[in-house]
Amino acid sequence: MLQEVNAIFQTFGASVVVPLIIFIIALLLRVQPKTAMMSAFYAGVGLTGFTWIITEFTPVVTKIVRQMVDNTGIKLPVVDIGWQAGSLAAFGSTVGLSFFVFGLLVELILFALDVTKVFLPSNIWNNFGYMIWGTLAFYVTHNYWLSLGLEFFMLLYSLVLAEIQADRWADYYGIENTTVDSLHNIEQVIPAIILDPLWNLLGFNKVKMTPKDFQKKLGVFGEPITMGIILGLIIGILGNLSSLGKISAWGQITKFAIQLAAVMAIFPLVTNVFAKAFIPIATEIDEQQKKRHGENKNSRYDKRRWFLAVDDGVGYGESATLISGILLIPIMVLIAFILPGNKTLPIVDLIAIPYMIESIVAVTRGNILKVISTGIVWFSLGLYAASWLSPVYTAAVAHYGVAIPTGVVLVTSFNLVARPLNALVFAAFISESPLWISLAIIIYLVMLFGLRKYRSQIWHYLNKMAMKNA
């Protein structure tokens, strides 16, 4: 049965399966069939648009980054080949497919029992984020039940983090009653919350670094397209430092600048299309919750409020998210070179950084300085995690049928594996030590209890901190 399910999903792909799920959810929420159908169409079109843009732009960015690496002469043994290889390996393993099939049932049960207020089946495509960790664990331990347990445990704590950030995410990205819950992108909630007071002590909250501030101060130079041109020129020059006297180099530099400007202009348009898939459902959720407790102004903090999990693509094209992500590309390459003990070179997944920082952007209310600072700290720790996991990841990916590029010894995915929290949980489970596994479970239960008892206070605090940003 597992293979049949995998065959169906691989045949139709996310751009067909996800819209179908959204259509069913919309009907269950009593959205008009015509509106539900259009929501499904918008989801399919949006996902296809994301795929086209990223598929075309990834090789362009990868080439520039490789040239930056060649200019330095520094060689790192672990190469980031992108999250796609990890996704294929996850769907190629029995323990991964088991989670994909039975995880949907568990997600529905958790929501029905009020263990979580996040309805996750609407974002089923991103379940491969859980599946890859179970696949790695099974490769190491050969213990099917332990590996499956790891996947479900990661599901549990990711739902807690998704709910903690839900109110901020929905408020910042402008779609009520929605949040994101991709395992590979949700753990950034923790450093975003922990480091925010430190950045305030340093005065970062008073620095006006948002897209609106750029537009006010810089005029036409603060527009997203113009900033794309400027950032493209800078990154292009960094990739061609050794050949700036050649016209061919300037051809690449200027073309990359235009291409990056195109991404800055087109991605928000595709994001708006994709967002239209969730707006009717989010609106219906809002209407139902208003009927439940009237027009109470405090309904935002009502304990019964629930959220629809959406794909991270909804937030990718937002200006602060996109600008911060693009700025972090050369920064993380530089850090990879100078970080003591690091063995990992981020390349292909650098284009995924905007996905990876959405929680930070939401918590800090789009303060680009805070987003970049938090990203530097957390993703630097992530490089160590990726370096440590690289032998296991390489072997598992190769074992489950993914070809390793010629000449590359060790591979990783900066997006999937450079995850300090996920790596710690993984280490606890593969140790097969009851002590460490029990400790991880106890920490989760404490977090869940705190969320259930103090959710409104947590949200009040996060909103108060967000408003401190200029």
Side-chain angles (χ1 to χ4, degrees):
M1 182 184 75
L2 296 179
Q3 294 302 326
E4 284 76 7
V5 171
N6 182 41
I8 291 172
F9 193 87
Q10 295 300 330
T11 299
F12 291 96
S15 61
V16 173
V17 175
V18 172
L20 179 60
I21 293 172
I22 289 174
F23 178 71
I24 294 171
I25 292 171
L27 291 180
L28 291 175
L29 287 171
R30 299 191 295 276
V31 174
Q32 291 293 324
K34 178 182 176 181
T35 305
M37 181 182 69
M38 291 307 299
S39 291
F41 289 164
Y42 280 128
V45 171
L47 283 171
T48 301
F50 290 142
T51 302
W52 283 352
I53 296 172
I54 291 178
T55 300
E56 288 297 318
F57 194 56
T58 296
V60 176
V61 173
T62 301
K63 185 176 181 180
I64 291 286
V65 171
R66 287 191 182 279
Q67 289 175 197
M68 291 169 63
V69 173
D70 292 340
N71 286 336
T72 65
I74 300 175
K75 302 296 181 183
L76 296 172
V78 183
V79 179
D80 162 32
I81 62 172
W83 60 266
Q84 293 87 349
S87 173
L88 291 173
F91 277 98
S93 70
T94 302
V95 72
L97 282 175
S98 297
F99 180 86
F100 187 75
V101 174
F102 299 110
L104 176 61
L105 177 62
V106 172
E107 290 160 9
L108 289 169
I109 293 172
L110 291 173
F111 184 76
L113 296 178
D114 269 350
V115 175
T116 180
K117 295 292 186 179
V118 176
F119 188 77
L120 190 57
S122 52
N123 192 29
I124 190 173
W125 158 242
N126 280 307
N127 276 356
F128 71 82
Y130 306 101
M131 294 157 60
I132 185 59
W133 289 100
T135 299
L136 297 181
F138 183 70
Y139 185 83
V140 173
T141 65
H142 304 292
N143 187 326
Y144 174 85
W145 294 109
L146 177 79
S147 304
L148 190 63
L150 169 63
E151 292 172 314
F152 283 112
F153 178 74
M154 286 183 156
L155 168 67
L156 289 171
Y157 80 74
S158 72
L159 286 168
V160 169
L161 296 179
E163 193 173 339
I164 287 173
Q165 68 139 29
D167 181 65
R168 279 299 321 136
W169 195 95
D171 178 71
Y172 184 82
Y173 287 100
I175 307 179
E176 283 300 313
N177 307 307
T178 60
T179 186
V180 292
D181 185 71
S182 305
L183 178 67
H184 39 290
N185 295 330
I186 194 62
E187 69 167 41
Q188 283 76 255
V189 172
I190 292 177
I193 295 174
I194 292 176
L195 293 174
D196 197 55
L198 172 62
W199 303 144
N200 288 347
L201 286 175
L202 296 174
F204 288 10
N205 59 309
K206 297 176 182 178
V207 178
K208 295 183 178 181
M209 283 188 66
T210 66
K212 289 183 179 179
D213 293 319
F214 288 148
Q215 290 175 7
K216 288 179 182 179
K217 293 179 180 179
L218 303 176
V220 68
F221 293 100
E223 294 291 336
I225 291 179
T226 311
M227 293 195 71
I229 293 284
I230 296 170
L231 289 173
L233 290 172
I234 293 172
I235 295 174
I237 289 171
L238 291 174
N240 287 274
L241 283 176
S242 61
S243 56
L244 291 178
K246 299 178 181 179
I247 191 170
S248 58
W250 285 101
Q252 185 190 46
I253 292 168
T254 52
K255 282 195 291 186
F256 180 73
I258 295 296
Q259 289 165 332
L260 183 53
V263 169
M264 299 286 279
I266 296 172
F267 230 114
L269 300 178
V270 178
T271 297
N272 289 337
V273 171
F274 192 45
K276 288 181 180 179
F278 302 100
I279 290 174
I281 303 176
T283 301
E284 183 59 36
I285 294 171
D286 195 45
E287 289 298 320
Q288 290 181 16
Q289 297 192 102
K290 283 181 179 177
K291 289 178 182 177
R292 187 182 301 129
H293 41 62
E295 295 294 332
N296 184 351
K297 291 182 179 179
N298 292 321
S299 62
R300 175 178 181 178
Y301 298 103
D302 187 88
K303 291 183 177 180
R304 294 168 293 181
R305 184 184 177 196
W306 62 279
F307 298 83
L308 187 75
V310 298
D311 189 276
D312 307 86
V314 173
Y316 189 107
E318 190 274 327
S319 296
T321 308
L322 202 49
I323 292 171
S324 301
I326 297 299
L327 285 170
L328 277 166
I329 289 177
I331 292 174
M332 290 314 303
V333 172
L334 175 62
I335 288 176
F337 291 153
I338 65 176
L339 197 64
N342 171 56
K343 300 177 182 178
T344 298
L345 176 64
I347 297 181
V348 180
D349 273 348
L350 289 171
I351 192 63
I353 291 180
Y355 292 120
M356 298 160 65
I357 60 175
E358 287 182 24
S359 297
I360 307 172
V361 173
V363 169
T364 61
R365 200 173 165 225
N367 185 314
I368 292 174
L369 180 59
K370 283 186 176 182
V371 175
I372 292 175
S373 300
T374 305
I376 288 173
V377 173
W378 196 247
F379 298 151
S380 295
L381 293 174
L383 289 174
Y384 286 123
S387 299
W388 170 61
L389 285 164
S390 58
V392 173
Y393 186 83
T394 303
V397 164
H399 180 76
Y400 290 105
V402 179
I404 304 299
T406 304
V408 175
V409 179
L410 295 171
V411 300
T412 190
S413 164
F414 183 58
N415 189 15
L416 294 181
V417 181
R419 293 283 170 266
L421 175 60
N422 294 344
L424 284 174
V425 173
F426 175 79
F429 272 75
I430 65 169
S431 72
E432 300 185 75
S433 164
L435 173 63
W436 292 115
I437 296 174
S438 298
L439 180 61
I441 294 173
I442 290 170
I443 293 173
Y444 158 74
L445 291 174
V446 170
M447 290 177 61
L448 179 63
F449 174 78
L451 176 63
R452 283 289 150 263
K453 188 171 183 178
Y454 301 108
R455 189 175 82 161
S456 61
Q457 290 92 327
I458 292 171
W459 287 356
H460 272 294
Y461 169 78
L462 293 179
N463 286 324
K464 180 181 177 182
M465 295 297 287
M467 293 306 295
K468 289 183 178 181
N469 293 286

